[in-house]
Amino acid sequence: MNKEYVHGYNPRENIRLQDQASTLVELLHSDTSYPAGSCVLEAGCGVGAQTVTIAGNSPSAMITSIDISGTSIAEAERKIAGLGLTNVRFRQADILNLPFGPGSFDHVFICFVLEHLNNPLKALLALKEVLRPGGTITVIEGDHGSAYFHPDSQAAHKAINCQVELQKRAGGNSMIGRELYPLLCNAGFRSVRVSPRMVYADSSRQELVDGFTRKTFTAMIEGVRESAIDAKIIEQDEFEKGIRDLYRTAEEDGVFCYTFFKAFGEINS
Ligand SMILES: C[S@@+](CC[C@H](N)C(=O)[O-])C[C@H]1O[C@@H](n2cnc3c(N)ncnc32)[C@H](O)[C@@H]1O
């Protein structure tokens, strides 16, 4: 995996992940809570942007949050301690080489991670191994093919495509949201259900315009400027126009839509 495109490894990206998490808490997590006494594995917690919500929503569940990056784990740990949350323990670990025995967890939660892996099915199979019989998995991913907006702009679509292309070259898939159903089924989960969560932002919803259109989505696309131009995926002028057009959708008459996918699966009791 090319580390350059694994989100969460630089301060600006950390702020973006935090903005994204705070803006989307209700949309993505209103139905994420785990029963008292249950053991939950959060795989790929990064700097803890989702950990805060899942730990807060499930104060009597024991959460184990892992990430392959020691730096991210350290930051997540500081964040959780700073909030006074005591139901999370952290561990640096690779999803593909988990330091837990079979059946160690009642639930697995994984958000915005599969899109970065070159073999997401293998990751799901590894996570399934550590679930107890009857355990569940919750997966959340975006899909950059789901971005549409007004005013429409070819340059904006081309700028978005830079992110899609770079992630593909790094072995990931930024359009994985639409594949969650077949992925979970192929991994052997049963009763798989996928719930699409659409972000719809117009100027009557300023918190989404600012938190999502500007600070989450457009900021993410802006973040690949140098890499996309260096890789000659796009000319600088066209990229800049694409970014201006994305910001344009955040104006008074602009509209921005994007869909996340939240999937649930179980394993046999
Ligand atoms: C985009 S971040 C998402 C972080 C967090 N889940 C969130 O939603 O804010 C992806 C995270 O997956 C982690 N990651 C990637 N591959 C991993 C692996 N094989 N095992 C564990 N963590 C991994 C990265 O280090 C990074 O922190």
Side-chain angles (χ1 to χ4, degrees):
M1 184 171 47
N2 181 337
K3 298 270 190 289
E4 253 180 65
Y5 301 116
V6 175
H7 297 160
Y9 286 158
N10 65 61
R12 191 176 159 190
E13 182 59 15
N14 289 349
I15 291 169
R16 193 193 67 78
L17 280 170
Q18 197 55 62
D19 279 338
Q20 166 170 286
S22 338
T23 306
L24 300 176
V25 165
E26 186 57 27
L27 183 76
L28 298 182
H29 294 303
S30 54
D31 54 351
T32 313
S33 79
Y34 297 105
S38 59
C39 290
V40 181
L41 173 65
E42 184 195 9
C45 63
V47 295
Q50 319 295 335
T51 317
V52 171
T53 305
I54 58 172
N57 279 359
S58 305
S60 303
M62 184 61 217
I63 317 233
T64 301
S65 295
I66 63 145
D67 200 281
I68 202 166
S69 156
T71 320
S72 297
I73 284 283
E75 182 155 349
E77 209 158 9
R78 273 196 299 277
K79 187 178 290 166
I80 291 295
L83 290 169
L85 292 163
T86 54
N87 56 335
V88 188
R89 62 181 176 156
F90 290 94
R91 187 152 173 187
Q92 183 176 4
D94 185 345
I95 292 167
L96 298 175
N97 188 19
L98 290 168
F100 309 111
S104 299
F105 296 95
D106 301 299
H107 306 284
V108 165
F109 175 86
I110 179 166
C111 181
F112 307 143
V113 176
L114 296 184
E115 61 174 310
H116 297 292
L117 306 181
N118 58 24
N119 194 338
L121 181 60
K122 202 167 161 193
L124 288 173
L125 289 168
L127 292 167
K128 194 170 142 226
E129 276 299 297
V130 299
L131 272 174
R132 68 156 171 78
T136 74
I137 188 166
T138 300
V139 186
I140 300 177
E141 290 290 348
D143 188 316
H144 290 358
S146 73
Y148 55 95
F149 34 81
H150 173 80
D152 201 5
S153 150
Q154 270 304 103
H157 286 291
K158 284 186 182 168
I160 294 168
N161 189 54
C162 292
Q163 211 282 340
V164 173
E165 182 57 29
L166 286 166
Q167 198 157 331
K168 194 189 287 175
R169 291 184 191 185
N173 176 6
S174 54
M175 305 209 291
I176 200 166
R178 68 190 70 181
E179 291 182 31
L180 291 186
Y181 183 81
L183 272 169
L184 264 72
C185 291
N186 289 339
F189 288 96
R190 64 174 179 80
S191 307
V192 177
R193 292 153 346 261
V194 175
S195 156
R197 309 274 162 118
M198 186 190 190
V199 181
Y200 169 82
D202 66 27
S203 59
S204 69
R205 304 169 181 224
Q206 272 309 318
E207 69 294 351
L208 282 176
V209 171
D210 196 49
F212 189 77
T213 310
R214 289 198 185 96
K215 292 186 177 153
T216 297
F217 193 85
T218 308
M220 171 184 67
I221 302 301
E222 261 191 301
V224 304
R225 174 186 281 111
E226 246 176 61
S227 315
I229 294 165
D230 288 353
K232 300 200 185 312
I233 298 172
I234 196 166
E235 294 291 330
Q236 173 141 14
D237 286 355
E238 186 155 40
F239 188 84
E240 303 303 349
K241 175 163 172 34
I243 296 299
R244 275 197 308 279
D245 289 353
L246 284 174
Y247 280 118
R248 169 71 183 84
T249 70
E251 288 177 23
E252 191 61 23
D253 60 347
V255 173
F256 192 89
C257 307
Y258 185 90
T259 303
F260 291 93
F261 295 83
K262 182 168 183 176
F264 305 87
E266 298 171 16
I267 60 171
N268 286 329
S269 310

